[in-house]
Amino acid sequence: MLKNILSILLVAFALSSCNDQLDDINRNPNATETPLAPFLLTGSLKHGADLYWGSNSSFNSSLLFIQQWAKIQYTEPDRYQISNTDAEITTLWNTGYATLITDLNTILAFPEAQANSNFKGIALALRSWTFLLLADTYGDVPYKDAGQTVSPSYNTQREVYLGLLEDLTEAQNLLDASKGAVTGDLVYNGDIGKWKKFVNSLRLRIALRISDREAELAKQTIASVVADPAGLISNNNETFKFIYTSSPQQNPAAAWFETRDDYRVSKTIVDKLYELSDPRLPVYAQLPSDTSVDRYVGAANGLSNSDANNQGFAKTSKPGTYFLKSESPAVIFSYAEVLFGLSEAVARGFISGDAETYYKQAVTASLNQFGITDATTVADYLNQAKVKYDASNYKKSIGEQKWIAFYGQGLDAFAEWRRLDYPELKPGSATVLEGQMPLRFFYPGTEQSLNGKSYKAAVANQGEDLLTTRLWFDVK
């Protein structure tokens, strides 16, 4: 009996020693045992920019829906023939929750010794931006429980937006240049004053998003933002953008076009830019490679594969080289957007000021953003009857110019088109939604199998899980 016990103990000791050796073998000597705030911040900024400007959430979905880009082949997404398991639908959700929110929550949970209040203020701002994208795109989403349980409950869009306004107020209070330096910041290089402006600009965006549902709260929020000494993004140099470098850290669109040739500029926006004699057209599009074609030619959205191909690869315009360079920036919040927001706030009676002046400044800021700075060119553009501000229909004036200014920012252009109802877009001839256009993304199919109870509750509250279900902020 004693011999058996000794044998068992010897086997157990041997296995334990073996496991210890395996642990040592499998340990990466170059890896940190504890994640560091600067590395998590850098990673979050890069992952966020890639997500916002990458193929799945941008040019293979939202940029098609908003008719800024079109597909010249493999046109299924352009015809809305997509499912709840396609990457175009799932990537924003999966990366938003599993990568961005998880890493930003890690920073927020650090003790002061690992992450000062400025790291946490930035993390809270970026997390708020991520949740905003999710709510704008899917509708009701996990918010309060996100990252706390494997089967989080969903919050309504209203709850998410109002919660984000509170989170951003907290972020503003956390941000203080006297409370420690921030490293790993590839956007503002640790300039806390610029982060505070970004936070206020994000509050302005959310306030306008809820303005047709919660007008009084929107008014109070915007009044608070305008009165805050921290200010808003106030010039193009303060635009929130991620600057890419060379391969493999290049702009996602540049990386795509190195090996693929699936996309063209949409005929819808090319025709509009021609109609307005818009000087941004040569920036937004390239001339066709067929030198006999001496004008920019957009591709129609929503065509069958054969009809799309027949438009001619060499006879249609690719996106402008401005957007296809390795170092092309991923703009996430522009100065022009702030000015359009202030113009709308005045038009709605939320703040005092001159809506037309802000509108002109917004259009000018967009032109300047894309390198058009000649004063005569800018003035000539603004003085056109079709460009002039129309106080009797501010949504049309702001909506159409905001759509042009948001070129490439598919997710936010998609949200603002639904909210402002301009420009007036029509689905392509081969689309599959019976003459309707997408108003949201499906929930990923995994939500039904892995979080079924919460998924069903969200659908019961919001409406069927369809591309055509209207979201809470989209009142029309």
Side-chain angles (χ1 to χ4, degrees):
M1 181 69 175
L2 181 59
K3 181 183 288 186
N4 289 338
I5 293 173
L6 288 172
S7 297
I8 292 170
L9 290 173
L10 286 170
V11 169
F13 177 77
L15 289 173
S16 175
S17 300
C18 183
N19 285 338
D20 288 344
Q21 291 171 5
L22 286 173
D23 286 344
D24 290 338
I25 291 171
N26 289 326
R27 183 176 292 116
N28 180 357
N30 297 315
T32 179
E33 295 294 322
T34 304
L36 301 176
F39 295 159
L40 290 173
L41 175 57
T42 298
S44 294
L45 291 168
K46 173 65 164 54
H47 287 307
D50 288 349
L51 178 65
Y52 188 74
W53 276 81
S55 61
N56 291 320
S57 300
S58 183
F59 45 91
N60 213 33
S61 55
S62 55
L63 281 180
L64 304 178
F65 297 171
I66 204 65
Q67 295 182 12
Q68 293 184 348
W69 286 22
K71 295 216 74 173
I72 194 77
Q73 60 178 337
Y74 312 121
T75 63
E76 286 78 11
D78 209 359
R79 291 185 280 122
Y80 321 139
Q81 192 175 336
I82 49 182
S83 75
N84 61 10
T85 60
D86 289 340
E88 293 88 349
I89 295 297
T90 62
T91 298
L92 175 60
W93 184 283
N94 293 339
T95 303
Y97 282 111
T99 301
L100 289 172
I101 290 170
T102 297
D103 287 351
L104 295 167
N105 277 343
T106 299
I107 295 176
L108 290 167
F110 278 153
E112 177 69 21
Q114 286 181 259
N116 61 44
S117 68
N118 285 319
F119 271 112
K120 294 182 179 182
I122 291 171
L124 194 52
L126 292 174
R127 192 184 74 173
S128 298
W129 170 70
T130 306
F131 274 125
L132 179 59
L133 292 180
L134 291 163
D136 286 346
T137 308
Y138 297 98
D140 296 358
V141 293
Y143 167 57
K144 290 294 186 183
D145 287 349
Q148 307 302 315
T149 172
V150 295
S151 54
S153 60
Y154 287 49
N155 289 95
T156 66
Q157 268 201 295
R158 180 182 184 276
E159 290 169 341
V160 175
Y161 290 138
L162 270 57
L164 294 180
L165 289 175
E166 293 177 359
D167 288 345
L168 289 168
T169 298
E170 181 183 351
Q172 195 66 282
N173 292 332
L174 286 167
L175 292 166
D176 184 335
S178 68
K179 293 184 178 178
V182 167
T183 55
D185 173 12
L186 299 182
V187 172
Y188 286 142
N189 196 31
D191 188 328
I192 302 305
K194 290 180 180 177
W195 277 104
K196 291 177 77 69
K197 290 185 175 187
F198 171 68
V199 167
N200 276 342
S201 301
L202 204 52
R203 291 171 67 201
L204 173 64
R205 179 187 283 178
I206 296 171
L208 290 172
R209 201 77 95 232
I210 67 173
S211 58
D212 286 328
R213 290 286 191 180
E214 297 282 343
E216 189 55 36
L217 177 59
K219 180 178 182 179
Q220 293 171 5
T221 301
I222 294 173
S224 171
V225 164
V226 171
D228 189 340
L232 293 147
I233 293 171
S234 57
N235 58 65
N236 279 323
N237 291 329
E238 293 177 350
T239 286
F240 191 97
K241 60 186 176 183
F242 185 91
I243 304 295
Y244 289 96
T245 55
S246 58
S247 178
Q249 304 299 331
Q250 77 265 53
N251 179 287
W256 186 277
F257 275 83
E258 285 179 358
T259 59
R260 300 287 295 269
D261 190 21
D262 304 355
Y263 300 93
R264 293 295 183 268
V265 183
S266 170
K267 182 178 187 300
T268 305
I269 197 165
V270 169
D271 289 355
K272 174 58 73 172
L273 295 175
Y274 265 124
E275 177 189 341
L276 301 179
S277 301
D278 197 303
R280 287 167 288 195
L281 179 54
V283 182
Y284 288 5
Q286 301 179 50
L287 286 170
S289 58
D290 184 339
T291 56
S292 70
V293 182
D294 60 358
R295 59 184 280 116
Y296 300 95
V297 180
N301 288 94
L303 300 183
S304 67
N305 279 305
S306 58
D307 287 346
N309 292 168
N310 288 340
Q311 296 174 103
F313 285 79
K315 295 183 180 297
T316 48
S317 294
K318 294 181 181 181
T321 56
Y322 177 95
F323 299 92
L324 303 183
K325 297 175 182 176
S326 291
E327 66 276 14
S328 295
V331 172
I332 290 170
F333 209 123
S334 67
Y335 176 43
E337 181 183 350
V338 169
L339 293 166
F340 280 124
L342 294 174
S343 176
E344 183 180 344
V346 173
R348 288 179 176 269
F350 290 170
I351 57 174
S352 61
D354 189 311
E356 182 176 6
T357 297
Y358 280 129
Y359 169 82
K360 288 181 177 179
Q361 291 173 345
V363 175
T364 301
S366 177
L367 294 169
N368 293 168
Q369 176 185 335
F370 294 108
I372 299 150
T373 57
D374 179 75
T376 301
T377 301
V378 172
D380 288 347
Y381 182 72
L382 291 171
N383 287 331
Q384 294 181 88
K386 291 182 178 180
V387 175
K388 286 184 177 180
Y389 178 76
D390 181 0
S392 67
N393 192 354
Y394 71 86
K395 283 192 172 184
K396 183 176 188 294
S397 292
I398 294 173
E400 290 186 349
Q401 281 295 327
K402 208 169 193 180
W403 173 67
I404 295 171
F406 271 19
Y407 185 76
Q409 293 181 247
L411 289 170
D412 282 308
F414 183 42
E416 288 297 85
W417 166 71
R418 288 172 287 158
R419 186 179 70 83
L420 292 169
D421 303 312
Y422 288 97
E424 296 178 338
L425 303 176
K426 296 179 180 180
S429 60
T431 54
V432 299
L433 297 180
E434 299 181 347
Q436 299 183 72
M437 294 187 64
L439 299 175
R440 62 182 290 272
F441 283 15
F442 294 121
Y443 290 121
T446 51
E447 281 297 288
Q448 297 182 42
S449 56
L450 301 178
N451 193 17
K453 182 179 179 181
S454 296
Y455 166 83
K456 289 177 181 177
V459 171
N461 174 70
Q462 179 169 279
E464 291 185 82
D465 187 11
L466 302 173
L467 294 177
T468 53
T469 296
R470 194 174 297 277
L471 299 186
W472 176 80
F473 75 87
D474 179 10
V475 299
K476 183 176 178 181

